[in-house]
Amino acid sequence: MALFKKRTVGKPGEWYYCLEHKKVEEGPDCPGKDRFGPYTSRQEAEHAMETARERNLEWENDPKWHDASARGGDDD
């Protein structure tokens, strides 16, 4: 374990949504495993969870994603 961790420094104008604290941050205050982003605006980061839900729904309904023959197996 490192004694001194190098803190990730954000750039002005980069916005993130922290999954741990459920809030928008300018610059990465929290570890990468706990955040979505970067986003170009605060408003975009505020809607991060909604955007993720929409993308997950699109992915789940993508016929290529659920195509058993493309994966080389059965859906038993």
Side-chain angles (χ1 to χ4, degrees), residues 3-64:
L3 293 175
F4 301 100
K5 289 186 174 181
K6 184 176 180 181
R7 186 156 176 90
T8 304
V9 179
K11 298 175 188 170
E14 284 186 339
W15 294 90
Y16 296 83
Y17 182 79
C18 176
L19 300 166
E20 177 85 15
H21 301 108
K22 313 267 189 280
K23 67 176 189 141
V24 173
E25 306 169 338
E26 185 173 15
D29 290 336
C30 294
K33 66 181 180 71
D34 295 330
R35 67 178 190 256
F36 285 158
Y39 297 97
T40 56
S41 70
R42 180 179 189 84
Q43 292 77 19
E44 193 177 349
E46 288 171 349
H47 297 287
M49 294 304 293
E50 182 180 322
T51 302
R53 275 191 295 275
E54 290 171 0
R55 289 179 180 167
N56 285 342
L57 189 57
E58 287 175 17
W59 196 13
E60 290 167 3
N61 292 319
D62 183 350
K64 294 177 187 172

